[in-house]
């Protein structure tokens, strides 16, 4: 009888522990993403904040399908509150090019235009990002390209200049530069990329071909400023490169913002997590994520920051190579695992099918000053810089549009 009673007690204890574990797992608000939008208790945490948000900042680790899909769903829901602008981590000339192709030929048109030069455009060379951009444009919104012109953008811009040039000498020279750039990307020879090698003399030569063409001269100036940022990085001047880049991002954002109609234009961002967070970054820079805080406050509105960072899954990596520009790899984030542990959760509590939504302010308050001092710079930035962590154990890699 005693043995039976003990066995029954042990079984009851196991059942209770299992029930408790299930209750704890279900206590994490889970969000589902579909063509119909965001749903579930996790989605409610985000959607409830949209009405008061002048700016919605989605910070990501690049190479995943989920972050642009979540951003697209948020953008659709936020349209009713006047969010019609989409801030993109590409240069303004690249954004204009992409907007034109998307409006005319859709996502498949971008795929066709990038065939043979898949790295001419970052982020929008992935299907999910291009679909996000198209959904904004189709709703009457626009793209704000605020970054430098990407390292691969001369594959587009040299062709544009070639088509605008008058005179055989200019066209021949631009065709030579374009052929050299195409070969460098095809072979993965980064040392030969135009952005790394173009000198002041090269840019002066390009300017000489367009003495009265304001559009071409402005494009050349943008390429020259971007090349300067890349070349600082190549010389090992990382702080200078990052600082100049962020100054450019903020300046170009303010140009878009100042030109937009309405007293307090609203926008949704999707950028690398370091750009979209609040406060000084772990690279000792003060990025656009901090700039927008004061703008929104002056308008009596808020900023919502969401870090879409998978715990684990698949990621699409990008690297110029003769073997191909894209590779799908296994992914796991130590930073996200650490945040989950700090929240008193286990990795197993994070869904594989769906997204956990974890509010970060309660965790900040729980840790306090003493607890946060012990965190790595990267982890502290994520914890202090964002309102929500949105994560999954079943991330899917972004889908390249072209080869």
């Amino acid at each position: 009888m005693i043995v039976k009673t003990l066995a029954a007690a042990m079984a009851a204890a196991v059942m209770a522990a299992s029930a408790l574990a299930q209750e704890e797992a279900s206590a994490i608000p889970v969000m589902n993403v579909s063509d119909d939008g965001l749903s579930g208790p996790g989605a409610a945490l985000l959607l409830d904040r949209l009405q008061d948000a002048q700016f919605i900042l989605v910070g990501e680790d690049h190479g995943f399908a989920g972050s642009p899909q979540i951003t697209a769903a948020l953008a659709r829901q936020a349209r009713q509150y006047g969010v019609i602008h989409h801030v993109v981590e590409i240069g303004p000339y690249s954004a204009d090019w992409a907007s034109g192709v998307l409006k005319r030929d859709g996502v498949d048109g971008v795929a066709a235009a990038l065939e043979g030069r898949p790295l001419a455009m970052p982020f929008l060379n992935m299907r999910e990002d291009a679909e996000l951009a198209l959904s904004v444009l189709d709703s009457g919104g626009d793209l704000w390209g605020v970054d430098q012109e990407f390292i691969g953008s001369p594959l587009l811009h040299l062709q544009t200049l070639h088509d605008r040039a008058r005179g055989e000498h200019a066209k021949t020279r631009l065709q030579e530069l374009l052929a050299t750039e195409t070969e460098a990307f095809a072979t993965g020879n980064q040392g030969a990329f135009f952005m790394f090698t173009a000198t002041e003399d090269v840019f002066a030569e390009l300017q000489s071909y367009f003495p009265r063409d304001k559009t071409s001269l402005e494009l050349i100036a943008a390429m020259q400023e971007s090349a300067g940022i890349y070349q600082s990085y190549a010389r090992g001047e990382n702080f200078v490169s990052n600082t100049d880049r962020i100054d450019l991002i903020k300046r170009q954002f303010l140009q878009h913002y100042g030109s937009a109609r309405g007293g307090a234009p609203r926008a949704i961002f999707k950028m690398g997590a370091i750009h979209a967070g609040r406060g000084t970054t772990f690279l000792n820079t003060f990025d656009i994520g901090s700039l927008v805080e004061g703008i929104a406050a002056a308008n009596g509105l808020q900023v919502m920051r969401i870090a879409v960072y998978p715990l684990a899954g698949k990621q699409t990596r990008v690297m110029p190579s003769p073997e191909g520009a894209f590779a799908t790899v296994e992914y796991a984030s130590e930073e996200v695992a650490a945040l989950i542990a700090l929240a008193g959760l286990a990795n197993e509590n994070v869904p594989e099918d769906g997204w956990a939504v974890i509010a970060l302010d309660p965790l900040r308050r729980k840790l306090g000053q003493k607890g946060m001092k012990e965190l790595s710079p990267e982890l502290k930035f994520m914890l202090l810089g964002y309102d929500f962590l949105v994560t999954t154990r079943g991330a899917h890699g972004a889908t390249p549009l072209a080869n």
Side-chain angles (χ1 to χ4, degrees):
M1 176 68 83
I2 294 176
V3 173
K4 288 183 179 180
T5 303
L6 181 59
M10 290 177 65
V14 170
M15 291 177 64
S18 176
L20 180 61
Q22 291 178 6
E23 182 179 345
E24 289 178 349
S26 64
I28 302 178
V30 174
M31 177 176 73
N32 295 309
V33 184
S34 70
D35 292 340
D36 297 325
L38 306 178
S39 60
L45 292 176
L46 305 182
L47 298 178
D48 287 349
R49 299 278 295 271
L50 293 182
Q51 184 171 357
D52 296 325
Q54 181 176 2
F55 303 118
I56 305 156
L57 277 66
V58 178
E60 66 170 359
D61 190 6
H62 301 310
F64 297 102
S67 47
Q69 291 169 338
I70 291 169
T71 305
L74 287 168
R76 287 194 296 270
Q77 191 70 26
R79 261 175 226 138
Q80 62 186 308
Y81 305 118
V83 178
I84 61 170
H85 309 292
H86 175 33
V87 179
V88 194
E89 195 179 339
I90 59 177
Y93 290 92
S94 295
D96 288 347
W97 179 90
S99 295
V101 177
L102 284 167
K103 288 177 181 178
R104 185 177 63 250
D105 300 318
V107 172
D108 289 341
V110 176
L114 292 178
E115 194 64 40
R117 51 181 183 181
L119 299 185
M121 172 80 60
F123 313 125
L124 294 182
N125 60 352
M126 301 293 175
R127 178 165 294 278
E128 295 80 11
D129 279 89
E131 289 172 346
L132 161 61
L134 181 59
S135 71
V136 171
L137 295 170
D138 280 348
S139 69
D142 57 359
L143 307 184
W144 291 0
V146 299
D147 206 348
Q148 68 200 62
E149 295 299 326
F150 184 56
I151 194 168
S153 66
L155 292 165
L156 299 176
H157 300 329
L158 291 172
Q159 182 66 58
T160 297
L161 293 172
H162 172 273
D163 295 343
R164 295 180 66 90
R166 298 179 179 180
E168 285 305 311
H169 175 70
K171 284 187 175 292
T172 298
R173 176 63 172 140
L174 284 159
Q175 189 61 49
E176 289 172 354
L177 290 172
L178 185 58
T180 299
E181 187 75 340
T182 301
E183 175 69 13
F185 271 87
T187 59
N189 183 8
Q190 297 185 47
F193 290 177
F194 181 87
M195 286 294 189
F196 286 143
T197 61
T199 63
E200 290 186 5
D201 289 343
V202 170
F203 285 109
E205 178 189 1
L206 292 179
Q207 291 165 356
S208 72
Y209 299 147
F210 304 93
R212 289 176 293 277
D213 184 345
K214 184 172 181 288
T215 298
S216 294
L217 291 173
E218 288 176 347
L219 171 57
I220 293 166
M223 293 171 66
Q224 185 169 12
E225 185 170 8
S226 299
I229 292 169
Y230 279 114
Q231 290 174 23
S232 292
Y233 183 83
R235 291 192 299 268
E237 300 170 2
N238 296 1
F239 180 79
V240 172
S241 177
N242 287 327
T243 298
D244 289 347
R245 180 187 177 196
I246 291 163
D247 285 346
L248 175 63
I249 288 173
K250 291 189 289 189
R251 185 175 78 239
Q252 294 188 149
F253 168 76
L254 290 172
Q255 288 172 352
H256 283 293
Y257 183 80
S259 300
R261 291 176 293 176
R266 298 193 180 201
I268 187 165
F269 299 55
K270 188 188 73 67
M271 306 181 77
I274 194 169
H275 301 297
R278 177 198 300 109
T280 306
T281 73
F282 54 83
L283 294 180
N284 301 313
T285 52
F286 190 75
D287 218 305
I288 192 171
S290 294
L291 171 68
V292 298
E293 189 83 19
I295 297 173
N299 292 314
L301 295 167
Q302 303 291 322
V303 178
M304 180 169 67
R305 295 177 177 81
I306 306 162
V308 180
Y309 241 76
L311 172 63
K314 303 282 189 181
Q315 182 183 34
T316 300
R317 295 276 174 87
V318 180
M319 177 63 68
S321 168
E323 287 75 38
F326 307 105
T328 301
V329 299
E330 295 289 339
Y331 173 90
S333 171
E334 294 181 1
E335 288 82 8
V336 173
L339 267 181
I340 290 169
L342 287 172
L345 304 170
N347 290 350
E348 291 72 23
N349 297 148
V350 175
E352 283 190 81
D353 185 14
W355 297 81
V357 179
I358 301 172
L360 295 178
D361 185 60
L363 182 53
R364 292 192 287 265
R365 293 172 181 270
K366 173 185 171 184
L367 288 173
Q369 294 287 10
K370 182 178 179 181
M372 285 189 283
K373 282 182 179 179
E374 299 173 356
L375 303 179
S376 69
E378 294 83 359
L379 191 57
K380 185 186 294 185
F381 176 71
M382 186 179 290
L383 180 61
L384 293 174
Y386 285 89
D387 304 308
F388 298 96
L389 170 65
V390 177
T391 189
T392 182
R393 285 192 294 131
H396 298 282
T399 309
L401 280 175
N403 297 308

